[in-house]
């Protein structure tokens, strides 16, 4: 926590909420209800380690809001987990889902462990026991609360969760929908792994395609040639870097715990990833310069800075040194409210987490729908569309007497498979959300920043659904 930050992560979410609430018309009591975390489950359970010792594990699941069911949000494994953090992250999930029109309430879970210090077998025991504790208290289920991956967890942990849940609930036909981010063989959806990074890319690309926004920042319209710095080479950072590079931007620096590297010509995230796997460090990558501290990457001159690791990394202390024109919050809560104030003063556009990183939960929603419908996306229409496209193309060729080349032919005839549909559903969601937030900001120019505009959008949607539920007539 930075020296001049006097409030916790949850308080900083409340602070951003209050800043935005002033631009809405809702009753104070209703706003208080939206802000509050409805249910907080703190648990302790024992695990027998491989060396025979018994350790007490501290874990949480928080359901921030049930204005829509189920609750939704990841589970993180980290040494830093505490109740305040899980509460903050659960609240962000409520606002995030509202902004991208995913009909869920917010939730989040956390287990206070550093997964690197445990064997695979120990991690499996911890994950299964955590799931059993959630089942006991009715804190998990396709219509109750649906976890997903977050920092320190992935498809493997989700597979353990669904297996534990299904074995404790024999015959529950929708059991696969109790968790998302599963491996495809266990009911997962194609496109979930890269979803958050792809959503970050779609969101920033849309912002960069807005001429008025780019003009204010003194940047050219479009992503082409823009320089990007990514902090964190986990799932979200890796995929963000990949899509930016493929989309024509230049990833000039990458940072991880052990340090950061810089290369003016641009880095290939996969080559760096393989180098780190081989040598155990991101540093000394051929052709790149080492930076002394990993936090130095946050202060590099660039067009777009993507913090994709943990909260509070840009705060009142280092925000004045940030030279990026655009910050894309791929992590949850990487910038504190103090940093926001400094960005506004310095003319830096901070594109906020609770909409920009919503790609993960959006595709989780698609996965949950797949699980409830028990059919893979594209299964019913892929072949039909291909046959129809072939027929239309044949007719055009016959009428014109010309033939389309083979590459075009393949493209035109192609019927959508699951990944195509998931990616296009995500693209539509991110573009629509970006425009919605920017419209709110334009309609009310006294809104100080994009985060506040995003909160206004979230508050209005959650409040409306409370009112429609008849809870606050
Ligand atoms: N953990 C991710 C997030 O913070 C994904 C949550 C989900 O898919 O439910 O948004």
């Amino acid at each position: 926590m930075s020296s001049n930050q006097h409030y916790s992560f949850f308080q900083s979410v409340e602070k951003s909420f209050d800043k935005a609430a002033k631009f809405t018309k809702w009753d104070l009591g209703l706003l208080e209800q939206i802000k509050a975390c409805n249910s907080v489950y703190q648990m302790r359970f024992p695990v027998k380690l491989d060396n025979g010792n018994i350790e007490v594990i501290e874990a949480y699941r928080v359901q921030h809001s049930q204005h829509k069911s189920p609750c939704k949000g990841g589970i993180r494994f980290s040494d830093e987990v505490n109740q305040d953090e899980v509460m903050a992250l659960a609240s962000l999930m409520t606002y995030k889902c509202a902004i991208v029109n995913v009909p869920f309430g917010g939730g989040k879970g956390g287990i206070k462990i550093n997964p690197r210090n445990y064997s695979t077998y120990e991690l499996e025991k911890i994950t299964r026991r955590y799931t059993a504790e959630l089942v006991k208290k009715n804190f998990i289920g396709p219509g109750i609360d649906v976890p997903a991956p977050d920092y320190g967890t992935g498809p493997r942990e989700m597979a353990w969760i669904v297996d534990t849940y299904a074995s404790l609930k024999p015959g529950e036909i929708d059991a696969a929908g109790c968790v998302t981010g599963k491996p495809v063989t266990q009911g997962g959806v194609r496109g979930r792994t890269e979803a958050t990074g792809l959503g970050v890319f779609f969101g920033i690309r849309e912002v960069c395609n807005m001429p008025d926004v780019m003009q204010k920042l003194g940047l050219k319209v479009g992503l082409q040639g823009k320089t990007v710095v990514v902090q964190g080479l986990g799932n979200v950072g890796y995929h963000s870097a990949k899509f930016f590079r493929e989309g024509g931007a230049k990833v000039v620096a990458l940072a991880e715990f052990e340090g950061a590297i810089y290369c003016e010509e641009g880095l290939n995230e996969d080559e760096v990833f393989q180098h780190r796997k081989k040598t155990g460090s991101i540093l000394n990558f051929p052709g790149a310069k080492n930076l002394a501290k990993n936090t130095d990457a946050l202060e590099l001159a660039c067009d777009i800075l993507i913090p994709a690791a943990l909260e509070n990394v840009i705060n009142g202390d280092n925000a004045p040194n940030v030279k990026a024109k655009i910050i894309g919050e791929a992590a949850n809560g990487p910038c504190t409210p103090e940093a926001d104030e400094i960005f506004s003063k310095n003319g830096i556009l901070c594109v906020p987490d609770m909409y920009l990183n919503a790609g993960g939960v959006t595709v989780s929603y698609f996965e949950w729908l797949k699980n409830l419908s028990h059919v893979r996306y594209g299964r019913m229409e892929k072949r039909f569309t291909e046959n129809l496209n072939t027929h239309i193309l044949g007719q055009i060729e016959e009428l014109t007497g010309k033939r389309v080349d083979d590459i075009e032919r393949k493209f035109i005839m192609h019927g959508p498979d699951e990944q195509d549909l998931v990616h296009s559903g995500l693209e539509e969601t991110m573009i629509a959300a970006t425009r919605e937030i920017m419209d709110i900001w334009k309609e009310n120019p006294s809104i100080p920043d994009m985060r506040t505009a995003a909160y206004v959008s979230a508050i209005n949607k959650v409040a409306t659904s409370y009112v429609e539920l008849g809870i606050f007539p």
Side-chain angles (χ1 to χ4, degrees):
M1 199 178 277
S2 91
S3 55
N4 60 354
Q5 188 188 327
H6 305 298
Y7 33 81
S8 70
F9 189 12
F10 183 62
Q11 285 169 329
S12 85
V13 172
E14 289 193 307
K15 209 171 144 83
S16 300
F17 181 102
D18 293 340
K19 189 167 157 189
K22 291 201 260 333
F23 298 97
T24 71
K25 60 177 172 51
W26 305 101
D27 182 88
L28 204 66
L30 174 51
L31 292 168
E32 285 302 315
Q33 170 54 45
I34 295 174
K35 257 200 296 184
C37 279
N38 290 356
S39 320
V40 181
Y41 176 18
Q42 187 195 125
M43 65 188 98
R44 299 276 197 285
F45 55 79
V47 60
K48 191 158 183 187
L49 303 175
D50 295 347
N51 64 8
N53 291 347
I54 289 173
E55 189 177 312
V56 181
I57 303 290
E58 176 183 335
Y60 302 86
R61 183 73 190 173
V62 171
Q63 297 172 349
H64 171 258
S65 175
Q66 283 101 351
H67 73 286
K68 301 230 182 233
S69 285
C71 292
K72 190 85 190 75
I75 297 175
R76 82 170 38 182
F77 286 3
S78 147
D79 262 345
E80 308 294 318
V81 161
N82 58 61
Q83 186 174 316
D84 181 90
E85 182 191 63
V86 186
M87 284 167 66
L89 293 165
S91 340
L92 286 175
M93 288 309 301
T94 296
Y95 309 134
K96 191 185 296 192
C97 290
I99 290 170
V100 290
N101 298 318
V102 164
F104 295 144
K108 201 79 168 198
I111 304 186
K112 191 177 166 56
I113 53 166
N114 178 351
R116 289 158 194 267
N117 299 342
Y118 296 84
S119 69
T120 305
Y121 181 54
E122 289 167 344
L123 288 172
E124 177 171 353
K125 279 204 282 189
I126 294 168
T127 309
R128 287 187 182 275
R129 178 65 189 258
Y130 176 76
T131 310
E133 295 296 322
L134 293 178
V135 170
K136 272 201 254 170
K137 291 276 195 293
N138 219 11
F139 254 68
I140 184 172
I144 298 170
D145 189 349
V146 180
D150 197 81
Y151 189 84
T153 59
R156 179 184 67 174
E157 286 72 20
M158 305 307 119
W160 291 330
I161 292 173
V162 70
D163 185 58
T164 309
Y165 181 87
S167 57
L168 292 172
K169 301 263 181 179
E172 192 174 307
I173 189 78
D174 290 329
C178 77
V179 66
T180 60
K182 302 177 293 289
V184 174
T185 52
Q186 306 302 313
V189 74
R190 287 162 192 82
R192 176 66 183 81
T193 311
E194 66 274 31
T196 310
L198 185 57
V200 168
F201 167 76
F202 285 143
I204 295 289
R205 187 189 65 184
E206 188 59 17
V207 169
C208 289
N209 282 339
M210 294 178 162
D212 48 336
V213 179
M214 288 302 103
Q215 200 194 355
K216 258 200 236 147
L217 295 169
L219 292 172
K220 274 213 287 264
V221 174
L223 260 185
Q224 195 61 37
K226 289 214 164 36
T227 51
V228 181
V229 171
V230 179
Q231 183 229 16
L233 205 54
N235 175 40
V236 179
Y238 174 90
H239 285 104
S240 302
K242 174 176 189 282
F243 293 115
F244 277 116
R245 181 181 52 75
E246 291 175 354
K250 208 162 62 165
V251 180
V252 292
L254 288 168
E256 255 297 340
F257 307 106
E258 63 275 10
I261 52 170
Y262 176 85
C263 176
E264 205 183 322
E265 288 77 49
L267 293 158
N268 177 306
E269 71 298 328
D270 198 54
E271 288 169 10
V272 176
F273 184 82
Q274 298 307 336
H275 167 82
R276 187 171 190 241
K277 218 164 120 183
K278 216 168 70 198
T279 67
S281 168
I282 199 173
L283 297 169
N284 304 321
F285 181 72
K289 230 174 52 196
N290 290 339
L291 301 184
K293 288 187 286 154
N294 65 355
T295 45
D296 289 348
L298 302 170
E299 301 177 13
L300 285 170
C302 62
D303 297 319
I304 304 166
L305 170 64
I306 306 288
L310 284 174
E311 59 266 19
N312 287 343
V313 293
I314 308 178
N315 47 53
D317 295 336
N318 58 355
N321 308 331
V322 169
K323 293 169 206 71
K325 306 266 174 48
I326 301 171
I327 297 171
E329 292 189 319
N332 286 309
C335 305
T336 66
E338 284 154 339
D340 275 347
E341 303 283 323
I342 295 164
F343 297 151
S344 292
K345 252 191 264 145
N346 293 352
I348 294 172
L349 175 68
C350 180
V351 184
D353 49 3
M354 62 212 232
Y355 119 83
L356 191 66
N357 71 27
V361 75
T362 301
V363 175
S364 277
Y365 171 47
F366 300 157
E367 179 176 333
W368 180 77
L369 290 175
K370 174 189 184 180
N371 296 148
L372 299 190
S373 64
H374 300 266
V375 61
R376 161 172 53 84
Y377 287 104
R379 176 166 178 180
M380 302 300 282
E381 63 273 34
K382 187 177 193 309
R383 181 66 52 161
F384 180 85
T385 309
E386 272 173 12
N387 290 343
L388 184 64
N389 291 349
T390 308
H391 187 76
I392 294 170
L393 190 62
Q395 287 292 306
I396 293 174
E397 286 182 337
E398 202 179 302
L399 289 169
T400 58
K402 289 181 182 158
R403 235 188 96 84
V404 164
D405 72 46
D406 283 351
I407 295 174
E408 282 299 323
R409 170 173 303 274
K410 225 171 135 192
F411 182 76
I412 295 169
M413 280 168 39
H414 174 79
D417 58 27
E418 185 163 84
Q419 183 163 316
D420 295 325
L421 293 167
V422 163
H423 282 187
S424 83
L426 175 60
E427 185 173 10
E428 169 60 20
T429 302
M430 292 308 295
I431 292 176
T434 313
R435 293 187 184 165
E436 217 172 290
I437 296 168
M438 285 301 192
D439 285 346
I440 291 177
W441 200 4
K442 270 182 217 154
E443 268 163 37
N444 192 342
S446 50
I447 291 179
D449 50 39
M450 195 173 173
R451 186 185 318 281
T452 308
Y455 265 100
V456 169
S457 164
I459 294 170
N460 284 339
K461 288 185 190 178
V462 180
T464 305
S465 72
Y466 266 112
V467 170
E468 280 167 1
L469 282 171
I471 296 172
F472 289 86

